Amino acid sequence: MSEKSVKQNDAAGAAKKQRKTRLIVQALFAALSNGYLNGWMQGTIYQGASKKICVPGLNCYSCPGALGACPIGSLQAVLSDKSYHISLYVVGMLMAFGAFFGRFICGWLCPFGLVQDLLYKIPGVKKIRSLPGEKHLRKLKYVVLVLLVIILPSIVTGAGDGEPWFCKYLCPSGTLMGGIPLMISNPLLRQAAGWLFSWKMLVLVMILVMAVKISRPFCRYLCPLGAIYSFFNPFSIYRITVDKEKCTGCGICQKTCKLDIPVFEKPNSGECIRCGECVKACPAQALKAGFGTGAQNKKISKTDNEV
Amino acid sequence: MKDFIVMNKTALVVFAAAAVMIGMGPASGEAGTVFTKAIRICLECIGIG
């Protein structure tokens, strides 16, 4: 076996180990942020002080186990309240998370991201790397952000406040982690379910089915939180850098990337969820990821700031 | 340390602005609004409307 093949095999093994590590971190964080056991057992939700603070990922605050507030739900709650014209507190939390992590949150700390990753592992289904019109489909999440999270909730209805349009009509995390567990445990809520619940279940099922075939369809095309964090990827403290002297342009990073990103050309693309598999898979060890890697590698590479 | 600040100056400026904005949350009542929403079952979120 050639030296090149040996290096590629070693790198593939390291990428596999990275996947396992990430899965463990995702599971631990999901359990931690939804650890209110009483809620799961009794079909209630947590009402403690930590619900003033947003968790970094998409995690419905009506999940029986949720210990924090959903950032997207909170943003809509503030914007739809006639007392506020802009949000400082929620946007501040999003900026803090984004400036530090960028979309590392999507790859490592989002419970709904974990659900999609687990579904993608289901064998026996031919996987696809992208859909027709992929480039345009990825812009859809920005439309969801602007329309369903910002503009429409800000429009005051007859009752005096706006509605959380994204939560109400689209969010699959709310259905999966809030709606279904509460419906199971609460007969009154089951009686009240109507066409809206059916619509949300349809949306959830479609996303979950797609997640078996293509990696992270919700994150790619629809997630407004991913859209927000994507703006921070080019300059967040957590970054990926490419050592141009070591990089051979072999493209193994892109082949490894489940989101089909040419990492060697765009290491901090707004589409990157920072799973880190490309870093481990690089046979030349030309990629580095971490907090402050920009500073560590400033003499030998230039961080690509393209989104 | 100096290298870290120089290479991450944008992120650090954003982080500082975020800290100020978060600090204003309780005073503006926004934290209370988030809390009030988060401790009640969100009927819209779970598909009741």
Side-chain angles (χ1 to χ4, degrees), chain A residues 243-270:
Chain A
D243 184 343
K244 297 285 187 196
E245 288 177 15
K246 288 183 182 174
C247 177
T248 61
C250 65
I252 284 177
C253 53
Q254 185 172 2
K255 288 192 190 97
T256 305
C257 177
K258 291 190 177 66
L259 294 170
D260 201 27
I261 295 165
V263 184
F264 64 108
E265 289 173 348
K266 295 181 182 180
N268 293 294
S269 163

Side-chain angles (χ1 to χ4, degrees), chain A residues 278-306:
Chain A
C278 56
V279 174
K280 297 297 178 186
C282 177
Q285 296 181 319
L287 298 174
K288 284 199 191 317
F291 296 98
T293 41
Q296 291 162 17
N297 290 308
K298 78 177 176 97
K299 288 178 187 171
I300 50 177
S301 70
K302 184 177 172 187
T303 304
D304 185 341
N305 283 338
E306 287 179 28

Side-chain angles (χ1 to χ4, degrees), chain A:
Chain A
M1 198 183 269
S2 69
E3 190 185 332
K4 189 178 168 185
S5 299
V6 167
K7 276 188 181 173
Q8 285 181 1
N9 281 346
D10 287 346
K16 193 175 172 185
K17 196 177 168 188
Q18 169 84 350
R19 277 197 291 278
K20 273 190 189 163
T21 305
R22 188 167 67 91
L23 193 65
I24 292 168
V25 171
Q26 285 175 290
L28 281 173
F29 195 82
L32 199 70
S33 50
N34 294 284
Y36 181 55
L37 295 175
N38 248 8
W40 292 109
M41 290 190 301
Q42 295 173 7
T44 57
I45 64 172
Y46 184 62
Q47 295 185 318
S50 60
K51 278 244 165 128
K52 285 182 195 167
I53 300 166
C54 294
V55 292
L58 196 74
N59 197 152
C60 185
Y61 38 38
S62 287
C63 168
L67 293 168
C70 174
I72 292 293
S74 301
L75 184 57
Q76 292 169 93
V78 172
L79 293 177
S80 64
D81 188 324
K82 58 182 181 288
S83 313
Y84 303 99
H85 297 294
I86 54 167
S87 163
L88 293 174
Y89 178 65
V90 177
V91 171
M93 280 191 278
L94 288 168
M95 283 167 61
F97 291 139
F100 202 70
F101 294 107
R103 287 193 83 177
F104 174 91
I105 291 165
C106 302
W108 292 73
L109 303 177
C110 179
F112 197 67
L114 169 63
V115 168
Q116 293 173 85
D117 285 342
L118 290 173
L119 287 168
Y120 190 69
K121 286 182 180 304
I122 293 174
V125 175
K126 190 179 173 202
K127 311 296 181 187
I128 55 175
R129 290 178 64 76
S130 60
L131 292 179
E134 179 80 15
K135 196 176 162 188
H136 301 292
L137 284 173
R138 291 196 189 199
K139 293 184 179 126
L140 200 54
K141 56 184 175 285
Y142 299 100
V143 175
V144 170
L145 171 64
V146 170
L147 202 59
L148 297 186
V149 177
I150 298 174
I151 293 179
L152 289 173
S154 305
I155 296 171
V156 174
T157 63
D161 284 333
E163 280 191 335
W165 279 70
F166 172 76
C167 297
K168 187 172 177 180
Y169 295 108
L170 189 59
C171 183
S173 176
T175 313
L176 180 67
M177 298 178 68
I180 291 172
L182 288 173
M183 293 285 183
I184 288 170
S185 56
N186 193 320
L188 286 174
L189 288 176
R190 274 202 301 276
Q191 282 174 16
W195 72 267
L196 182 62
F197 186 72
S198 303
W199 163 250
K200 289 201 78 185
M201 280 298 296
L202 179 65
V203 170
L204 173 66
V205 167
M206 282 170 60
I207 289 169
L208 296 182
V209 166
M210 277 180 73
V212 177
K213 197 150 177 80
I214 187 170
S215 178
R216 297 275 190 129
F218 181 71
C219 309
R220 287 184 198 223
Y221 309 128
L222 294 171
C223 184
L225 191 55
I228 291 171
Y229 289 146
S230 73
F231 294 121
F232 295 89
N233 259 11
F235 61 82
S236 61
I237 292 173
Y238 187 95
R239 284 206 294 285
I240 295 175
T241 51
V242 181
D243 184 343
K244 297 285 187 196
E245 288 177 15
K246 288 183 182 174
C247 177
T248 61
C250 65
I252 284 177
C253 53
Q254 185 172 2
K255 288 192 190 97
T256 305
C257 177
K258 291 190 177 66
L259 294 170
D260 201 27
I261 295 165
V263 184
F264 64 108
E265 289 173 348
K266 295 181 182 180
N268 293 294
S269 163
E271 298 301 318
C272 174
I273 60 168
R274 271 118 189 235
C275 68
E277 290 184 30
C278 56
V279 174
K280 297 297 178 186
C282 177
Q285 296 181 319
L287 298 174
K288 284 199 191 317
F291 296 98
T293 41
Q296 291 162 17
N297 290 308
K298 78 177 176 97
K299 288 178 187 171
I300 50 177
S301 70
K302 184 177 172 187
T303 304
D304 185 341
N305 283 338
E306 287 179 28
V307 172

